[in-house]
Amino acid sequence: MSISTSTGSAPTGVSRLIAALGHSRRGLRDTWRSEAAFRQEALLALVVVPAIWLLVPAPSWRALLLVTLGLVFVVELLNTAIEAAIDRIGAERHPLSGKAKDAGSAAVTVSLLLHGAVWACVPW
């Protein structure tokens, strides 16, 4: 991947959109292949999404549950990015590297707890 400069060589318009979609597809594919947690969350979503549609009558609660489920995936992708960047820096242990990885992991946990809390608040 190259870094574009202001020389006018960077894609624009539809070309830029197509390039961005390609990067996103690679990011999803690579995360799927390398992160067991991402695969587990995706499999959980295969159960959770139908449950949302079958069990939750109010559209606003459905939307909130779907958004918080999507948030879990977004945070997991960001956590994967943090881990990859830290691993790229080097294999040696450093307190700041550990702090960054732990914070990313905590963010995933918070997003999962948030999704669970929304489920607990659904008026049955």
Side-chain angles (χ1 to χ4, degrees):
M1 176 183 354
S2 65
I3 298 174
S4 63
T5 62
S6 61
T7 61
S9 63
T12 59
V14 175
S15 302
R16 183 170 186 253
L17 178 62
I18 291 169
L21 290 172
H23 297 308
S24 298
R25 184 183 55 79
R26 269 195 313 280
L28 287 167
R29 182 196 66 214
D30 293 346
T31 301
W32 176 266
R33 289 178 178 170
S34 67
E35 296 297 323
F38 189 80
R39 293 189 301 273
Q40 291 165 353
E41 289 154 357
L43 293 174
L44 181 63
L46 291 176
V47 174
V48 170
V49 170
I52 290 170
W53 288 103
L54 293 172
L55 300 175
V56 181
S60 58
W61 283 103
R62 280 188 201 152
L64 190 55
L65 285 164
L66 291 171
V67 167
T68 56
L69 180 61
L71 180 67
V72 170
F73 287 103
V74 169
V75 174
E76 188 67 57
L77 287 164
L78 292 172
N79 182 45
T80 299
I82 291 168
E83 290 178 352
I86 295 299
D87 291 346
R88 166 65 177 89
I89 292 169
E92 71 278 355
R93 291 187 175 267
H94 190 281
L96 291 176
S97 296
K99 185 176 182 177
K101 286 187 169 192
D102 291 347
S105 179
V108 172
T109 300
V110 168
S111 70
L112 286 164
L113 290 172
L114 177 63
H115 182 66
V118 172
W119 267 107
C121 293
V122 172
W124 301 99

